[in-house]
Amino acid sequence: DAKTTQPPSMDCAEGRAANLPCNHSTISGNEYVYWYRQIHSQGPQYIIHGLKNNETNEMASLIITEDRKSSTLILPHATLRDTAVYYCIVRDPLDTYNYGQNFVFGPGTRLSVLP
Amino acid sequence: DGGITQSPKYLFRKEGQNVTLSCEQNLNHDAMYWYRQDPGQGLRLIYYSQIVNDFQKGDIAEGYSVSREKKESFPLTVTSAQKNPTAFYLCASTTLPDRPYDQPQHFGDGTRLSIL
């Protein structure tokens, strides 16, 4: 079962920031938070990941709360091409026992960027 | 460019027929995975392999088979025992945990399988 909870859908106006929340209240100390997105009929695309510090790359920013029980993915200036399903995943990359099975993709959040 | 190639993009299966989906990667990744995605759903793990000649069942392995004879290839066979094979199939790969462990999974663009 997925260890995360995300809203099923969100809308965002083009050019505005899209803030996608994720709850992961049972996250353990060794688990990272990963974000992927899937544009229709394509494979999921990696966006960003982090452990406890906020992270930023050319695609997005990841804000993780101090207690690590939730996080927010921020797309600073959403475009129509950002319309996709966004998945939040928590996993321990060093858990060799469960390694094969710990990328768990739940239903995600369907983000619609509106013109 | 390095990446994962899945073929064919669309595949049709007749009743009682086995079909094989191809997945090839040139990323030099050790681990490879097969997922199934149904409309509006997340991904469910079918099989995964961490090294050549070894693979493990995922959550929904019944009706599927795999082989891993080469590091770069991980074909999936959908057998006639899989009674509801219509779905989007995704292949992924990644490095092992004892390599730069924060490498994310890389995905192919999928194969859409339908029953005739």
Side-chain angles (χ1 to χ4, degrees):
Chain A
D1 292 335
K3 300 179 182 180
T4 62
T5 304
Q6 299 177 253
S9 64
M10 294 181 65
D11 293 338
C12 176
E14 187 178 18
R16 304 296 295 268
N19 298 286
L20 292 92
C22 180
N23 287 321
H24 32 79
S25 59
T26 61
I27 192 170
S28 69
N30 298 324
E31 288 181 320
Y32 283 64
V33 180
Y34 292 76
W35 283 84
Y36 284 74
R37 73 180 182 184
Q38 186 177 23
I39 296 170
H40 183 63
S41 293
Q42 296 182 19
Q45 175 191 23
Y46 165 78
I47 302 173
I48 198 167
H49 73 282
L51 182 61
K52 53 186 176 181
N53 297 322
N54 297 339
E55 302 287 344
T56 296
N57 63 20
E58 65 278 5
M59 291 182 67
S61 295
L62 173 60
I63 308 298
I64 303 174
T65 58
E66 190 169 346
D67 63 8
R68 302 208 324 121
K69 293 184 177 181
S70 65
S71 60
T72 301
L73 178 74
I74 300 173
L75 307 178
H77 305 286
T79 71
L80 299 178
R81 288 178 295 180
D82 292 320
T83 292
V85 177
Y86 287 77
Y87 300 98
C88 170
I89 298 161
V90 295
R91 63 181 291 268
D92 177 359
L94 297 181
D95 180 2
T96 55
Y97 182 75
N98 292 307
Y99 184 77
Q101 304 207 43
N102 64 11
F103 270 109
V104 179
F105 288 75
T109 295
R110 182 172 298 278
L111 175 69
S112 298
V113 180
L114 307 175
Chain B
D1 286 347
I4 300 178
T5 301
Q6 290 187 242
S7 62
K9 191 172 180 65
Y10 299 96
L11 186 59
F12 299 91
R13 195 192 88 169
K14 296 179 180 178
E15 292 288 339
Q17 185 181 42
N18 294 350
V19 292
T20 297
L21 284 61
S22 171
C23 178
E24 303 278 333
Q25 54 98 1
N26 60 3
L27 299 165
N28 199 33
H29 284 171
D30 296 284
M32 297 186 73
Y33 309 75
W34 274 105
Y35 294 91
R36 169 181 171 139
Q37 187 174 35
D38 293 284
Q41 304 296 313
L43 279 63
R44 291 186 290 169
L45 182 66
I46 304 173
Y47 269 98
Y48 65 100
S49 168
Q50 295 188 354
I51 56 172
V52 173
N53 293 323
D54 186 57
F55 46 83
Q56 284 77 43
K57 293 181 179 180
D59 300 322
I60 55 165
E62 186 174 351
Y64 300 97
S65 66
V66 293
S67 63
R68 187 87 186 275
E69 297 178 0
K70 298 185 297 182
K71 184 176 182 179
E72 58 270 21
S73 179
F74 192 41
L76 173 74
T77 296
V78 184
T79 75
S80 57
Q82 173 50 247
K83 298 306 179 187
N84 184 24
T86 297
F88 189 48
Y89 291 87
L90 287 159
C91 179
S93 72
T94 189
T95 54
L96 286 172
D98 59 342
R99 305 265 173 106
Y101 60 84
D102 58 349
Q103 291 292 321
Q105 275 189 332
H106 294 251
F107 284 85
D109 278 336
T111 293
R112 193 167 297 278
L113 176 63
S114 302
I115 290 183
L116 286 176

